[in-house]
Amino acid sequence: MEIKKELTGNKLKISLEGHLDAVSAGDLDKVIQSDLNGVEELIFDFADLDFVASAGLRVLLVAQKRMNKQGTMKIFHVNEDVMDVLEMTGFSNFLDIVD
């Protein structure tokens, strides 16, 4: 998986490409742990994300919990396969997913 970060003021955009699975979730977790200081708006761009596994869902949950304390988190450009996973797991009920 490729992770691209773009920080503008207190807004961080993270674009993900490939598979967010057990192998790559640790890389995203490191970004969440180290790059969210001072961030008030976290944007995920899933336009090029093909797949998300349970380990990836855990990282999204950690990010959402952290952003609930310091700002907002939104997810853009979710494809049908990833949306199916988010809906089946109930994550779509508490994540802010924008069409």
Side-chain angles (χ1 to χ4, degrees), residues 12 15 27 39 46 52 64 68 74 93:
L12 177 62
S15 300
D27 294 334
V39 171
F46 282 8
V52 62
Q64 183 65 67
N68 284 345
K74 294 182 181 180
N93 295 329

Side-chain angles (χ1 to χ4, degrees), residues 3-8 10-16 31 35-36 39 41-47 74 76-77:
I3 301 171
K4 297 178 185 173
K5 302 180 290 185
E6 182 180 327
L7 182 62
T8 307
N10 60 3
K11 177 180 176 180
L12 177 62
K13 178 181 176 184
I14 300 175
S15 300
L16 303 178
V31 170
D35 292 3
L36 290 187
V39 171
E41 185 178 359
L42 176 60
I43 303 290
F44 280 103
D45 185 345
F46 282 8
K74 294 182 181 180
F76 289 86
H77 308 121

Side-chain angles (χ1 to χ4, degrees), residues 2-68:
E2 185 175 348
I3 301 171
K4 297 178 185 173
K5 302 180 290 185
E6 182 180 327
L7 182 62
T8 307
N10 60 3
K11 177 180 176 180
L12 177 62
K13 178 181 176 184
I14 300 175
S15 300
L16 303 178
E17 182 178 335
H19 289 60
L20 179 53
D21 54 20
V23 174
S24 60
D27 294 334
L28 181 58
D29 191 47
K30 288 176 187 172
V31 170
I32 298 302
Q33 298 303 323
S34 65
D35 292 3
L36 290 187
N37 291 335
V39 171
E40 294 177 12
E41 185 178 359
L42 176 60
I43 303 290
F44 280 103
D45 185 345
F46 282 8
D48 296 316
L49 184 68
D50 302 319
F51 175 79
V52 62
S54 59
L57 292 174
R58 185 195 66 77
V59 176
L60 292 176
L61 178 62
V62 168
Q64 183 65 67
K65 285 184 174 183
R66 179 147 178 206
M67 291 311 298
N68 284 345

Side-chain angles (χ1 to χ4, degrees), residues 51-98:
F51 175 79
V52 62
S54 59
L57 292 174
R58 185 195 66 77
V59 176
L60 292 176
L61 178 62
V62 168
Q64 183 65 67
K65 285 184 174 183
R66 179 147 178 206
M67 291 311 298
N68 284 345
K69 296 176 184 175
Q70 68 189 59
T72 62
M73 180 175 119
K74 294 182 181 180
I75 302 174
F76 289 86
H77 308 121
V78 180
N79 72 34
E80 188 175 331
D81 292 335
V82 172
M83 183 59 88
D84 285 347
V85 172
L86 296 175
E87 288 175 348
M88 284 188 291
T89 58
F91 274 61
S92 61
N93 295 329
F94 63 86
L95 296 176
D96 190 358
I97 301 169
V98 181

